[in-house]
Amino acid sequence: MCRNIKTLFNFEPPATDAEIQASALQFVRKLSGFNRPSQANEAAFDRAVEEVSAAAHRLFASLHTHAPSRDRAVEAEKAKERSRLRFG
């Protein structure tokens, strides 16, 4: 799966609309193979991004967890450490 798509559920503060939209865009880019669609495909591409974004909003609204919310700063630091160990 695309490494640029980040987990957005169960964070404090919650994922913003912009983060969900960016994730949807990355997902549609990955599926379609287009970084930027041609004019002929632009409407379908944009519609797919909107539909994926709407589906993500519905998903987040319906998910429930008993786990404590994760802290964005702590998770970012863990990711930096994993990257440092992996790439040196």
Side-chain angles (χ1 to χ4, degrees), residues 1-7 23 26-27 30 86-87:
M1 194 52 166
C2 188
R3 290 185 197 143
N4 293 333
I5 299 175
K6 306 294 184 209
T7 300
S23 183
Q26 287 295 329
F27 183 72
K30 185 69 169 185
R86 182 174 180 192
F87 299 111

Side-chain angles (χ1 to χ4, degrees), residues 34-70:
F34 299 137
N35 189 34
R36 188 166 166 208
S38 66
Q39 268 188 318
N41 293 321
E42 190 171 13
F45 187 90
D46 292 344
R47 185 174 55 251
V49 172
E50 289 305 316
E51 290 173 0
V52 169
S53 181
H57 280 285
R58 286 191 306 274
L59 173 66
F60 293 158
S62 65
L63 291 175
H64 301 283
T65 183
H66 295 290
S69 296
R70 294 176 282 181

